[in-house]
């Protein structure tokens, strides 16, 4: 059975002075989800948005707001990001000693719980978390910045897909997704593709058509590969 492919543009590549209209533009051009990268300058070497900014984005998101927390500690902020209107909250397995409790806390807010794996972390790190998880995010770059080169994690994706079995757990790929790299990760078992630079390149709020063309190029590359 083929699973639907979800494209989740990362607004890390949007115009930081115009998030509301950027979100509306990518949704009008066919985005399935909106991916929000929260960075704390500690767990990752970059600093982005806190809960008030995420709450402001929410007013523009009509689809699904997918909030990727690259912060440590993460537990004290879960409630605030849930209140800010996240639909999916993803925490890193490397962000603290108690990821099991973190996922319980996310589920406890009524939101979908995601768990992310850095490139150096093996698939087995989430083996005992799969019944508490709605999504596993496989990082295909070291988190912190957009526009980095894709790291091939095909074996990890395949191992996760086998481990997940028939559980309703999605596999999300984050980092360096392009029409060149997308077919491989989808063939290995990915459902959700996060893409920042590959979606936003060449477009703007004033000229949003390239956003649509870029997302179509990713989708078409996958369809061509399975045809
Ligand atoms: C990296 C972020 C990604 C990033 C992806 O730390 O989690 O979501 O924005 O950007 P691209 O698609 O440009 O690699
Ligand atoms: Zn991300």
């Amino acid at each position: 059975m083929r699973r639907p492919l979800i494209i989740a543009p990362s607004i890390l590549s949007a115009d930081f002075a115009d998030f509301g209209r950027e979100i509306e533009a990518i949704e009008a051009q066919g985005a399935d989800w909106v991916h929000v990268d929260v960075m704390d300058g500690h767990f990752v070497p970059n600093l982005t948005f806190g809960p008030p900014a995420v709450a402001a984005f929410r007013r523009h998101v009509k689809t699904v707001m997918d909030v990727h927390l690259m912060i440590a500690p993460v537990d004290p902020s879960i409630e605030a990001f849930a209140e800010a209107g996240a639909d999916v909250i993803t925490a890193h397995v490397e962000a603290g000693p108690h990821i099991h409790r973190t996922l319980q806390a996310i589920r406890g807010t009524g939101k979908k719980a995601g768990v992310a794996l850095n490139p150096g972390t093996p698939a087995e790190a989430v083996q005992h978390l799969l019944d508490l998880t709605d999504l596993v995010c496989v990082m295909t770059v070291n988190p912190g910045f957009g526009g980095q080169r894709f790291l091939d994690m095909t074996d990890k994706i395949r191992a996760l897909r086998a481990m997940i079995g028939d559980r309703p757990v999605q596999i999300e790929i984050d980092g360096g997704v392009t029409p060149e790299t997308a077919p491989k990760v989808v063939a290995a078992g990915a459902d959700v593709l996060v893409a920042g630079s590959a979606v936003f390149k060449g477009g703007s709020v004033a000229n949003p058509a390239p956003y649509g063309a870029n997302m179509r190029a990713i989708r078409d590359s996958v369809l061509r590969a399975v045809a």
Side-chain angles (χ1 to χ4, degrees), residues 158-188:
R158 230 180 254 120
L160 283 166
R161 182 46 72 197
M163 213 183 272
I164 287 167
D166 56 11
R167 293 179 181 88
V169 178
Q170 290 173 303
I171 298 181
E172 176 177 76
I173 307 302
D174 190 0
V177 171
T178 65
E180 288 68 47
T181 58
K184 218 176 168 175
V185 297
V186 173

Side-chain angles (χ1 to χ4, degrees), residues 93-94 99 103 115-131 133 135-139 153-164 167 169 171 173 188:
V93 75
E94 307 85 1
I99 185 67
L103 293 171
V115 59
L117 296 170
N118 280 335
T121 303
E124 288 70 26
V126 299
Q127 193 160 5
H128 302 290
L129 302 171
L130 293 173
D131 291 323
T133 302
L135 173 147
V136 178
C137 174
V138 177
M139 295 303 303
M153 296 284 140
T154 311
D155 291 355
K156 196 194 290 191
I157 300 164
R158 230 180 254 120
L160 283 166
R161 182 46 72 197
M163 213 183 272
I164 287 167
R167 293 179 181 88
V169 178
I171 298 181
I173 307 302

Side-chain angles (χ1 to χ4, degrees), residues 68-130:
H68 178 191
L69 298 180
M70 286 160 273
I71 65 176
V74 60
D75 292 6
S77 298
I78 289 170
E79 193 67 49
F81 284 104
E83 274 168 21
D87 295 299
V88 183
I89 299 179
T90 296
H92 270 259
V93 75
E94 307 85 1
H98 299 297
I99 185 67
H100 188 282
R101 177 186 293 146
T102 303
L103 293 171
Q104 285 177 319
I106 297 171
R107 283 252 174 110
T109 66
K111 308 298 182 174
K112 289 202 165 164
V115 59
L117 296 170
N118 280 335
T121 303
E124 288 70 26
V126 299
Q127 193 160 5
H128 302 290
L129 302 171
L130 293 173

